[in-house]
Amino acid sequence: MAEVIVSAIVVVAIVYGREVLMPLSLAAVVAFMLSPAVAWLARFGLPRLLAIVLALSTLVGATLFAATVFSSQIISLTGSLATYKNNLAEKARSLTPTTGGGALQRAIDSLDALQREVEKQTHGPERDEEIRVVVENPREGGVSGVLETVRSVLGPLEMALLTLVYVAVLLAGQYDLVDRVVRLAGVENMSESTAALSTAGERLSSFFLGQGAINLAFGVATGAVLAALGIPNAILWGMAVALLRFIPFIGIFAAAVPPLLLAAAVSPGWGLLLGVLAYFLIAELITSNIVEPVVMGRHVGLSPLAFIAAGSFWWVVWGPVGLLLAAPLTTTLVVLGEFFPSMSFLSLLFGDRPPLTPEQEYYHRLLARDAATAAEALESATRGLPEICDAVVLPALAVATKDFRDRRISAERAQAIADTMREATESVFPVAKPGAETAARTIIIPGLGPIDAAASGLAAAVLSETTGKPCAAVQASTGLLALASLKEEETAPPETLLLFTVGGLARAQMNYMARRAGVLFPETRIMLFEKEEGGPIHAGEEEGRIVRCSSLSRADQLLRLAPQGSP
């Protein structure tokens, strides 16, 4: 209940404190981007205050220049919109059949009729127009009108100045702010909190600075390419791409729509439109998959669902500025969640890293009885099949065995996991014929329980596939009972016995079973599979005949090197 109340208070503070929190958030992102530049200037002997002033002056100058260019481009585009609209309408009309009209032609005729009606209503008698103006704007003019105009002009300027002040304060008091956060985290945790803040700050600074540099280069390249293709106001679209690309997933599409419409309006054919479309697709694919991983290194990303949720929230509370800040703010929360345990749920919910390790995900598939997905890991491992089992499959079965031993899962669920693993194994490898262990020279004895039995069957199939030597696993029984049943069969003793467990038997029990196997099969080589390697079973002649291995890869090597007919 307390967490819900705190969350509600935070949301209310974000909504009603937007006049302060919005420029503060924007200033934090800008401070992260400028922090490396300030540190770089300080290394050349400049006082930190002078370095901050120089960095802020450069930022303000670049912003004013960009705003001037952006405004001139907007004015130029506004003046030529009518021409582009007529060209686009003519192009649309050329697509409709000359005889019989068509749906598109009827839509254009309806649009023209609607436009004529609007113009007729707009350019009515002068008296009606005056009456309409007086009724809808009874307070227009006077002191209130002037104040409203001044407020509309000074509002963005006020936010820009407040953001600039915040940036200067954050850069100047960077170390003091870090010290205060460390003090809040507790002096006894000073080493951990200092390391976390330092690493998180460096990663965020490099991420935002790298993203800004990439977006700027993308915008310059876009403006140059569009200008070369003859798209009007190419500088405007390059600036729009550089700005909107800060919005993941959808920003590049929003920035590409106006140039595509202009390409359709300017050129009588479709070649220009297809060329602009091809440029945006190719450039975005190269930038996202090649340039960004190389420039920014370790990627701090957001999952698509997380960004949609975060973008929707910030759009509702802060409007377009919130949508622009959604990715930086959420990325900051993800990075902080990686270093502070109390915020780790944020990294799990919003980050794009897999929520489960490969062995945990495989165990989850087994719990869900998804044999098809469980078999995919084996089918995809055309090379290094034992390595895949050692890294993913056997650790997942070991977790299942531990859960069964700790009574987290029932015997029925353990049997279901074993059946799922057996079904996945049989769908990838040929099914062993009944009595196949009598013909195999390597027999695998499961330790204890259904999961060890399923793991033994998997090991037999994998080792038969990789070594080329017939291997089989006893499935009718496990442990000492399996050894006894194998001894009762009137067949030649196997060349190798592999005692196999993923946690069903403890080390002492496995050692006893190994000694018992040495007594029952004195001429047979004994291999003891455990996830942890240990010392010999006991001193004496069995040390040279009993070999431990902790992975299928090692067992594969030992079976390959063993000569035929030798223990």
Side-chain angles (χ1 to χ4, degrees):
M1 186 64 181
E3 291 80 1
V4 176
I5 296 176
V6 171
S7 301
I9 294 174
V10 170
V11 172
V12 171
I14 290 174
V15 174
Y16 290 96
R18 57 178 298 173
E19 299 298 333
V20 176
L21 294 179
M22 189 161 55
L24 180 59
S25 302
L26 184 59
V29 175
V30 176
F32 274 120
M33 297 176 66
L34 292 182
S35 181
V38 172
W40 181 77
L41 292 173
R43 281 198 295 267
F44 285 93
L46 269 70
R48 183 171 179 83
L49 183 59
L50 182 58
I52 293 174
V53 171
L54 184 58
L56 289 179
S57 301
T58 305
L59 176 65
V60 171
T63 304
L64 291 177
F65 176 76
T68 303
V69 175
F70 192 85
S71 300
S72 63
Q73 291 289 311
I74 287 290
I75 294 174
S76 174
L77 177 65
T78 304
S80 56
L81 277 180
T83 303
Y84 300 148
K85 177 183 176 182
N86 294 334
N87 292 339
L88 186 61
E90 290 296 331
K91 187 175 184 179
R93 288 191 179 94
S94 66
L95 294 177
T96 59
T98 55
T99 60
L104 184 56
Q105 182 64 48
R106 290 193 298 270
I108 293 175
D109 293 339
S110 300
L111 183 61
D112 291 339
L114 180 60
Q115 182 178 1
R116 288 193 297 268
E117 183 65 24
V118 171
E119 291 177 352
K120 179 180 178 181
Q121 296 295 330
T122 304
H123 298 87
E126 185 175 357
R127 181 173 176 271
D128 294 341
E129 184 178 350
E130 291 176 355
I131 294 175
R132 183 180 59 82
V133 171
V134 171
V135 171
E136 292 185 2
N137 301 282
R139 298 182 181 179
E140 187 173 341
V143 178
S144 60
V146 174
L147 292 178
E148 187 68 24
T149 303
V150 172
R151 182 179 180 182
S152 63
V153 173
L154 293 182
L157 182 60
E158 178 185 359
M159 179 179 175
L161 291 176
L162 188 58
T163 302
L164 188 63
V165 171
Y166 279 145
V167 173
V169 172
L170 289 175
L171 290 175
Q174 176 181 355
Y175 300 110
D176 180 70
L177 182 61
V178 171
D179 291 342
R180 294 180 184 276
V181 174
V182 170
R183 181 66 180 84
L184 287 175
V187 180
E188 64 277 3
N189 301 320
M190 183 178 296
S191 58
E192 294 84 355
S193 57
T194 301
L197 286 174
S198 177
T199 306
E202 292 175 359
R203 284 179 56 185
L204 288 172
S205 296
S206 60
F207 175 76
F208 291 143
L209 185 61
Q211 189 68 59
I214 291 173
N215 291 355
L216 179 61
F218 198 109
V220 171
T222 299
V225 171
L226 294 182
L229 293 176
I231 302 298
N233 304 100
I235 298 178
L236 174 63
W237 311 128
M239 296 175 66
V241 167
L243 185 63
L244 292 177
R245 206 175 176 277
F246 278 102
I247 305 175
F249 309 116
I250 62 175
I252 186 62
F253 296 104
V257 170
L260 291 173
L261 292 177
L262 283 177
V266 170
S267 175
W270 295 98
L272 184 59
L273 175 62
L274 295 177
V276 173
L277 179 61
Y279 163 74
F280 276 105
L281 291 177
I282 296 174
E284 178 62 21
L285 288 175
I286 293 176
T287 303
S288 300
N289 298 285
I290 298 178
V291 178
E292 286 182 350
V294 171
V295 172
M296 293 189 294
R298 185 181 180 184
H299 183 61
V300 183
L302 307 175
S303 64
L305 180 60
F307 174 74
I308 292 174
S312 302
F313 172 78
W314 292 111
W315 170 269
V316 170
V317 297
W318 286 357
V321 178
L323 182 61
L324 189 63
L325 290 175
L329 291 177
T330 311
T331 301
T332 303
L333 295 177
V334 169
V335 174
L336 293 179
E338 295 180 4
F339 292 96
F340 294 96
S342 60
M343 303 176 66
S344 59
F345 70 96
L346 296 173
S347 178
L348 179 62
L349 291 177
F350 296 138
D352 61 351
R353 296 181 180 179
L356 299 175
T357 61
E359 59 269 21
Q360 290 172 340
E361 184 177 359
Y362 199 87
Y363 180 39
H364 181 248
R365 300 300 176 228
L366 294 178
L367 285 172
R369 302 184 182 183
D370 189 356
T373 304
E376 288 181 0
L378 303 175
E379 291 176 342
S380 60
T382 56
R383 294 183 179 181
L385 184 57
E387 288 78 6
I388 292 294
C389 293
D390 291 331
V392 178
V393 182
L394 294 183
L397 294 176
V399 175
T401 303
K402 184 177 185 303
D403 286 348
F404 176 59
R405 190 171 59 246
D406 295 341
R407 297 183 178 181
R408 293 194 182 102
I409 58 176
S410 62
E412 292 78 9
R413 179 60 64 88
Q415 184 61 53
I417 292 175
D419 294 340
T420 303
M421 188 69 251
R422 191 173 291 108
E423 181 181 351
T425 303
E426 293 176 354
S427 66
V428 178
F429 302 100
V431 180
K433 297 179 181 180
E437 60 268 17
T438 60
R441 304 318 303 155
T442 297
I443 304 297
I444 301 179
I445 305 296
L448 180 66
I451 298 178
D452 271 354
S456 299
L458 172 66
V462 171
L463 293 176
S464 297
E465 181 77 13
T466 57
T467 63
K469 299 179 180 181
C471 302
V474 177
Q475 296 292 315
S477 56
T478 61
L480 295 175
L481 185 60
L483 284 174
S485 63
L486 186 64
K487 180 63 178 177
E488 291 178 357
E489 297 179 1
E490 296 182 359
T491 58
E495 295 178 359
T496 304
L497 271 180
L498 176 57
L499 309 182
F500 197 93
T501 183
V502 290
L505 280 181
R507 177 181 295 275
Q509 294 172 315
M510 288 295 292
N511 290 344
Y512 177 77
M513 190 166 68
R515 290 194 295 269
R516 183 63 179 166
V519 173
L520 294 177
F521 301 93
E523 302 298 327
T524 298
R525 185 188 190 200
I526 308 298
M527 292 176 59
L528 186 60
F529 182 93
E530 290 180 306
K531 295 304 294 180
E532 297 181 0
E533 294 184 350
I537 303 301
H538 58 78
E541 62 179 2
E542 287 186 346
E543 291 187 21
R545 195 162 55 87
I546 298 179
V547 181
R548 289 181 184 269
C549 58
S550 60
S551 65
L552 276 185
S553 301
R554 179 59 177 164
D556 175 73
Q557 293 176 358
L558 294 174
L559 290 178
R560 287 174 182 269
L561 295 176
Q564 293 287 343
S566 63

